[in-house]
Amino acid sequence: MDKSTVEFLIRAKKATYAGKGATTAPSRQDSHDLQYAEGPLSYLDTYLGELKFAGEEALWKDGIPFWAMNYAGRVTGDGFSGDFLKEALSLVPKEYPYRGPLHHQNGDYSYTCSVTGDFDWFHGTEEIFFKGVKIYELLFHGGAIEDSPTG
């Protein structure tokens, strides 16, 4: 994937969920949707649920989808902080532009992310620990979208 696409994805993530951006009209019943666009590129993060949730982030160029990531996560213990998760996600690195950094810590909270693959085909996990106890987990996977030349 080219550098400008990754940079757009990072800006989109920071302007939406990680940056506490406003939700837009839901695309599905009871979904939480966050959108961002620049020129021909657009981004949508849409998810269902809160303490147990599933969603998808996707990218379009000129209205044609070309990349997506699905995720499912859950809060597993006491002390979860949505603000800490958003803090970690706002530190998304260009080398792994999927969720947050490989590791982030702030006080009693620590965040870890593990990724296998590259931008075109990947999967991974993220976890949050509070005082050494796992309180949150998420699985994600995704990659390039490509249509068949015959449709």
Side-chain angles (χ1 to χ4, degrees):
M1 194 53 54
D2 67 41
K3 180 181 173 183
S4 65
T5 299
V6 171
E7 290 171 349
F8 168 78
L9 177 59
I10 290 171
R11 285 192 302 276
K13 288 173 174 283
K14 289 180 177 183
T16 56
Y17 184 80
K20 302 179 183 180
T23 57
T24 58
S27 59
R28 300 167 291 161
Q29 185 175 340
D30 294 327
S31 69
H32 307 274
D33 290 20
L34 299 108
Q35 298 179 339
Y36 182 81
E38 289 178 8
L41 295 173
S42 60
Y43 165 89
L44 172 65
D45 179 4
T46 179
Y47 64 96
L48 302 168
E50 292 180 12
L51 295 177
K52 294 179 181 177
F53 57 93
E56 178 181 64
E57 294 179 36
L59 295 175
W60 287 260
K61 183 172 185 178
D62 295 321
I64 299 169
F66 68 93
W67 183 88
M69 176 181 72
N70 297 106
Y71 56 87
R74 64 186 182 154
V75 174
T76 60
D78 295 333
F80 175 76
S81 168
D83 286 341
F84 175 73
L85 174 59
K86 290 175 181 181
E87 176 184 309
L89 296 179
S90 73
L91 301 171
V92 57
K94 64 183 175 184
E95 301 82 12
Y96 305 102
Y98 316 110
R99 298 292 294 173
L102 299 181
H103 182 75
H104 175 64
Q105 182 145 2
N106 186 347
D108 290 330
Y109 289 95
S110 66
Y111 169 96
T112 61
C113 183
S114 173
V115 180
T116 301
D118 61 26
F119 199 75
D120 287 339
W121 188 256
F122 61 89
H123 62 90
T125 61
E126 75 179 10
E127 298 175 320
I128 293 177
F129 295 83
F130 177 62
K131 296 183 179 179
V133 177
K134 183 166 80 167
I135 59 166
Y136 165 90
E137 60 189 4
L138 179 133
L139 304 172
F140 61 91
H141 65 270
I145 295 172
E146 189 174 317
D147 286 333
S148 165
T150 59

